[in-house]
Amino acid sequence: MAGDDGRVLRDAASGELARRFPWRWLDEQAVLPLRIETGAEGPTAWVAADGALSALVQTALEKRLAASLRVVPTRASDIRAALLAARTPELTTDGERITADEQLASIDDLRAQASREPVVQLVHAMLAEAVRAGASDLHVESTASGLRIRQRLDGVLRDVQTLGMEFRAAVISRIKVMASLDIAERRLPQDGRTRVQVAGREVDVRVATLPALHGESVVLRLLDSTQSGATETLESLGFSDALLSRWRQLVHRPDGLLLATGPTGSGKSTTLHAALRERSTADVKVVTVEDPVEYRVEGAVQLPVNPRSGFGFATALRAMLRHDPDVILVGEMRDVETAELAVRAALTGHLVLSTLHTTDAAGAVQRLRDMGIAPYLLTGTLRGVLAQRLLRRVCAACRTERAPGLAEQSAYAAAQQRWPAIGPSTLSSIAFGTGCSACSGTGFRGRVAIGELLEPDVATPYSLPDLSGDGWRAVAAGLTTPDELYRVLTVELMG
Ligand SMILES: [Zn+2]
């Protein structure tokens, strides 16, 4: 089921066809008329239902819709959640009371609201829809008129739903209950985690709340263990073969420091975990310190750090060095103490992988110096810096091609002249997605990684392209679009 089906259901639930039936009856039977099409054999009504209809329900629907029926198989909980979201007027009495008392609501009230079955189902349906669409985050934001629900899909936020005021406290409290947060605390940020079972999958959810102007906002990060980061290999990330073979040589060295850089969401930790997965064998001890542990690595010892409780990166790293590791992942080098420990570990026979928030590879070296790491420590220790970005991948289901524009042709030609290996000398066509149900109408599904690799020990001239050159390689290969490349590289010029 595609991500947009939730929206189709919600539209139908507030539509004219649904209003021909009592709300309660639709809710009880978990059926929802979607649309009527008139063909050669007369009108056909498409009805969402979980399995076959009973004869009684079928007759009732046929009569009132004056059409023959076709069932669109849909989970009952999805239908009920859509009906609930459309039912605002009927909830008003209850809702007004909740709104007026929101600030004063007792913990018991909040707990009661949060445990009401429709609210439980609504939150579950929101999560299920996000997981099915392949979203990485679900944003639940309090606004002046209720709740705004957005998903981050392949790195881009999009609106999915708005809910009335009567849901605000209930939905937020429900999420807080799920994540074992204090529902009475609404003025301080909190974070927690939970695990949900949706669409037959186990999904870890990190929950963070923030008290904002109109009330609390919540962001749920979905860490689907069956998805991307958890199973990604260095190949499946989409890097060029040339970059991959050099990076892999570095990953298989016994010692030294390797860094992945890029802004948040550029896939740094996915790349490093894929590298760890290659090194995690019976004769190699792999240890990680992370905040939090995002992806599990088979055979590795993974330590979640908790800076607020005093168990920060430096403390964890020091403790872990006594555990005789061969390969070490330090989630992030946030302070000079951690950076220095990591560099010293790399100097003393360990392979150390870590990340830095810099935009390009050269910036990483400067950042380490700015942090106070002596240059002589980096010489011969820092073996490679991989700056990377994730671009949205053209949807395979609705992929088509167009002729390139003049500006696109000349930008590509300039890059190709500099790095001939990125593709043919001219750009003959550009792939794009027209939008379909597999990609929620966006034309993109999944991501492709581009990168530039700096090897401080390797003398120039260097044949690998920089970030934008590698981006054109991905465009020429039909993996992504020029607009997507501009979007990702421009965002950071401005921020
Ligand atoms: Zn598509």
Side-chain angles (χ1 to χ4, degrees):
M1 185 166 169
D4 267 10
D5 292 2
R7 190 176 300 169
V8 171
L9 286 178
R10 284 192 297 278
D11 288 347
S14 54
E16 187 272 323
L17 294 179
R19 270 184 267 123
R20 296 187 199 177
F21 300 87
W23 186 90
R24 191 157 297 286
W25 184 81
L26 293 175
D27 185 56
E28 274 166 14
Q29 304 300 333
V31 292
L32 182 57
L34 300 172
R35 62 181 189 278
I36 292 182
E37 283 170 8
T38 308
E41 301 105 57
T44 306
W46 297 77
V47 175
D50 195 353
L53 300 170
S54 73
L56 218 63
V57 173
Q58 172 147 7
T59 315
L61 285 165
E62 280 171 349
K63 266 206 173 129
R64 198 156 299 188
L65 295 170
S68 57
L69 300 188
R70 291 285 291 274
V71 169
V72 179
T74 311
R75 286 152 40 107
S77 59
D78 291 349
I79 295 172
R80 293 202 170 101
L83 284 166
L84 182 77
R87 198 199 172 202
T88 315
E90 290 190 48
L91 278 174
T92 316
T93 336
D94 198 18
E96 271 169 2
R97 188 184 60 78
I98 293 166
T99 311
D101 296 351
E102 198 174 315
Q103 293 307 316
L104 301 168
S106 73
I107 306 168
D108 287 344
D109 281 349
L110 284 175
R111 210 176 286 284
Q113 284 179 41
S115 59
R116 282 161 61 212
E117 190 52 28
V119 172
V120 170
Q121 280 188 15
L122 178 63
V123 171
H124 183 85
M126 270 161 38
L127 278 164
E129 193 181 331
V131 170
R132 281 197 207 100
S136 59
D137 304 83
L138 181 65
H139 292 231
V140 179
E141 298 155 331
S142 290
T143 63
S145 56
L147 279 177
R148 177 186 194 188
I149 316 292
R150 296 196 281 176
Q151 294 173 355
R152 187 176 294 280
L153 197 61
D154 295 332
V156 180
L157 265 182
R158 56 176 205 144
D159 272 309
V160 285
Q161 192 175 6
T162 54
L163 292 171
M165 195 59 107
E166 64 279 11
F167 292 103
R168 202 163 82 178
V171 166
I172 290 193
S173 299
R174 167 65 191 155
I175 295 169
K176 287 164 81 175
V177 167
M178 288 170 70
S180 311
L181 301 179
D182 180 359
I183 59 170
E185 179 55 77
R186 279 165 286 170
R187 290 189 171 78
L188 291 175
Q190 298 185 61
D191 56 76
R193 51 195 313 166
T194 181
R195 176 174 278 211
V196 293
Q197 185 104 38
V198 283
R201 300 214 287 271
E202 285 254 302
V203 180
D204 276 325
V205 184
R206 264 165 68 196
V207 179
T209 73
L210 204 62
L213 179 63
H214 294 296
E216 281 175 293
S217 284
V218 186
V219 173
L220 300 96
R221 166 145 284 198
L222 309 173
L223 303 167
D224 186 345
S225 58
T226 61
Q227 227 183 3
S228 60
T231 51
E232 210 82 74
T233 61
L234 285 176
E235 268 79 19
S236 65
L237 292 168
F239 285 117
S240 73
D241 293 343
L243 185 143
L244 208 52
S245 81
R246 297 195 79 120
W247 175 247
R248 178 166 270 139
Q249 281 176 26
L250 296 171
V251 166
H252 284 268
R253 292 184 65 137
D255 59 5
L257 177 63
L258 295 181
L259 295 175
T261 76
T264 305
S266 57
K268 302 183 291 285
S269 70
T270 306
T271 303
L272 294 185
H273 283 85
L276 286 186
R277 241 169 251 125
E278 281 201 6
R279 289 302 310 273
S280 183
T281 53
D283 56 339
V284 173
K285 175 143 180 155
V286 176
V287 187
T288 75
V289 280
E290 301 170 78
D291 177 27
V293 173
E294 275 188 70
Y295 309 116
R296 305 214 166 87
V297 176
E298 189 76 32
V301 178
Q302 295 180 276
L303 267 74
V305 302
N306 191 345
R308 262 168 301 167
S309 70
F311 191 62
F313 276 106
T315 317
L317 189 49
R318 213 173 270 119
M320 168 231 265
L321 283 168
R322 293 191 286 267
H323 265 241
D324 187 27
D326 298 300
V327 179
I328 301 168
L329 171 78
V330 182
E332 206 184 318
M333 299 202 291
R334 281 181 205 166
D335 54 275
V336 63
E337 200 186 353
T338 307
E340 210 164 85
L341 280 166
V343 171
R344 292 203 181 271
L347 266 171
T348 53
H350 306 93
L351 180 72
V352 180
L353 306 172
S354 190
T355 66
L356 269 182
H357 268 268
T358 60
T359 52
D360 60 8
V365 180
Q366 192 54 46
R367 172 68 57 83
L368 287 173
R369 289 187 183 162
D370 292 348
M371 284 174 94
I373 304 294
Y376 76 89
L377 283 178
L378 292 178
T379 312
T381 312
L382 183 61
R383 295 265 157 72
V385 184
L386 175 63
Q388 72 170 80
R389 299 293 182 276
L390 292 176
L391 306 184
R392 289 184 293 168
R393 190 185 283 261
V394 172
C395 173
C398 61
R399 184 183 193 282
T400 180
E401 288 180 354
R402 65 169 171 86
L406 279 180
E408 291 165 341
Q409 278 173 342
S410 65
Y412 172 79
Q416 201 272 341
Q417 225 159 42
R418 207 167 150 203
W419 300 287
I422 65 171
S425 58
T426 54
L427 193 59
S428 54
S429 67
I430 285 171
F432 71 101
T434 52
C436 68
S437 65
C439 58
S440 301
T442 60
F444 297 101
R445 178 102 176 138
R447 316 264 214 123
V448 56
I450 60 168
E452 67 180 25
L453 181 60
L454 175 79
E455 294 174 78
D457 294 347
V458 174
T460 48
Y462 202 57
S463 59
L464 287 181
D466 68 3
L467 265 177
S468 87
D470 199 40
W472 284 109
R473 186 261 316 164
V475 171
L479 298 170
T480 190
T481 67
D483 286 343
E484 183 61 9
L485 177 60
Y486 294 141
R487 179 184 71 84
V488 167
L489 294 185
T490 326
V491 162
E492 72 203 25
L493 287 179
M494 304 189 321

